[in-house]
Amino acid sequence: MRFSPAALASLLAFVLLLGLGIPQLAEGASLDSAEQDLVARINAFRTVRSLPTLAVSDTLTAAAKWMSADMGGRNYFAHTSLDGRSPTQRMADAGYPAFGTWTGEDLAAGFTTTADVLNGWINSPAHYSVLVNPQYHAIGVGRGYAAGSTYGWYWTADFGGVVDVVRAAPVSRAATQTTPAAFAPRTTQSATVALPPDSGYHARWSAQTADPVVDPGAFATLVVALRNTGSQGWYRGVAGRQANLGTSDPQDAEHPEFAANWLSVNRLTSTTTDYVAPGEVGWFEFTVHAPGASGDYQLALRPVVDGVGWLEDEGIFFTIHVSPALLSRGDVSFAP
């Protein structure tokens, strides 16, 4: 079918109104505050594991921002963009030397905070392998929001093995064919993680008891108070609606050394009441068993509705101070 110039102009305007236009990126793409925070969190995560710090690449940033905008604007979630390009091809099209080095990509969708994005990646083996790859030295991240899309927020982190200095050019949706380097890429990694549409389960920290000081092998009862900030009530004893305190940092870590009548080695307790309505405060009471050796032990916690998902990470933790055992008289030697 042929169109007149006027008809083509009208059709293009209609497509742009539908939000299907090509995302435009300024040369030398910059990071917003949330994107900067995500890079900082990733670098902090790598630093404590003695991995190289990642330099922000303008070209990788341009590729990542384009991908997040495209996924949101066209309402899909996949590593292969709808124009048929792989992550490595998109990085190359943005000006990064992707075909001559290591490349990787992590995607996330539905998360609203950088902490949740990183936690989602850390707790997924495929994403974790990208985060801890020592071959990566450069990164670009981008986030995009699209009202009416399946997930709302879309996040992309693109990783590369070399630090480039070329400024990023606008990325075209056309699948530009970049001539590969004379040698093949060593590897390409990619992984995705998505948060389901809002379940209605949310929580905010309200209060907790002080860190306990106990003797070796003794027991201590602790309490955490969380406000139900979601639209769903918490029902104790009802599968899929019961709010529990789970272990965190790392998520679902097993702590049999602390467990004392817990629900399991990584689920401490549920609410003390049968029902906590939205807006009300739920109380979580549990007992910890102090290790036999003196020292300070940290126990990190996070609320979870099993079968639905983890609630907000409020940074809840206790430091269990185990005092040195008192010596009996028979344990002490006296000089003559």
Side-chain angles (χ1 to χ4, degrees):
M1 180 181 295
R2 297 177 62 86
F3 295 91
S4 67
L8 284 173
S10 298
L11 179 61
L12 177 59
F14 178 70
V15 170
L16 291 174
L17 285 173
L18 287 177
L20 300 180
I22 300 171
Q24 296 298 310
L25 297 171
E27 185 169 342
S30 60
L31 301 177
D32 65 25
S33 59
E35 292 162 347
Q36 292 176 23
D37 184 63
L38 181 56
V39 171
R41 288 176 181 272
I42 291 173
N43 272 331
F45 175 79
R46 287 173 62 90
T47 297
V48 298
R49 289 160 178 79
S50 300
L51 295 168
T53 298
L54 304 175
V56 175
S57 161
D58 282 337
T59 51
L60 291 179
T61 298
K65 283 178 174 285
W66 183 91
M67 186 58 177
S68 291
D70 197 59
M71 287 190 296
R74 304 179 76 183
N75 199 22
Y76 70 97
F77 186 57
H79 284 287
T80 300
S81 51
L82 293 187
D83 57 18
R85 291 184 295 162
S86 67
T88 302
Q89 183 66 59
R90 291 194 308 274
M91 295 178 208
D93 291 346
Y96 186 77
F99 286 104
T101 187
W102 292 71
T103 58
E105 180 173 86
D106 275 349
L107 300 180
F111 298 96
T112 58
T113 69
T114 56
D116 285 340
V117 170
L118 184 57
N119 282 335
W121 289 342
I122 290 172
N123 290 290
S124 165
H127 300 83
Y128 186 87
S129 68
V130 178
L131 292 173
V132 299
N133 190 328
Q135 303 297 333
Y136 295 141
H137 297 276
I139 189 174
V141 302
R143 64 171 184 157
Y145 179 78
S149 61
T150 301
Y151 295 109
W153 281 104
Y154 295 81
W155 304 76
T156 303
D158 285 337
F159 300 79
V162 297
V163 179
D164 63 325
V165 296
V166 180
R167 301 292 285 182
V171 182
S172 170
R173 177 168 292 164
T176 305
Q177 295 299 316
T178 302
T179 302
F183 48 90
R186 292 179 178 270
T187 187
T188 299
Q189 294 178 289
S190 59
T192 61
V193 60
L195 184 70
D198 188 11
S199 62
Y201 289 97
H202 299 280
R204 187 174 69 244
W205 180 90
S206 183
Q208 68 184 69
T209 50
D211 292 339
V213 179
V214 293
D215 292 331
F219 295 87
T221 298
L222 305 174
V223 176
V224 172
L226 298 175
R227 185 173 298 278
N228 181 352
T229 56
S231 59
Q232 299 290 332
W234 301 342
Y235 293 83
R236 188 178 65 181
V238 179
R241 306 191 73 179
Q242 173 175 296
N244 298 323
L245 268 187
T247 55
S248 182
D249 196 24
Q251 199 163 285
D252 273 335
E254 296 186 355
H255 287 293
E257 72 278 18
F258 295 138
N261 297 320
W262 291 6
L263 301 178
S264 69
V265 290
N266 54 21
R267 294 290 183 273
L268 286 70
T269 188
S270 182
T271 54
T272 57
T273 57
D274 291 335
Y275 176 66
V276 179
E280 294 182 347
V281 173
W283 298 86
F284 298 79
E285 182 177 307
F286 59 96
T287 301
V288 294
H289 180 212
S294 62
D296 291 339
Y297 301 84
Q298 191 170 98
L299 177 62
L301 307 173
R302 183 176 178 179
V304 59
V305 176
D306 288 303
V308 176
W310 291 88
L311 281 60
E312 285 76 5
D313 187 352
E314 294 287 282
I316 305 167
F317 72 91
F318 287 93
T319 299
I320 303 167
H321 303 284
V322 181
S323 303
L326 295 177
L327 297 176
S328 67
R329 186 173 180 83
D331 295 321
V332 181
S333 298
F334 295 91

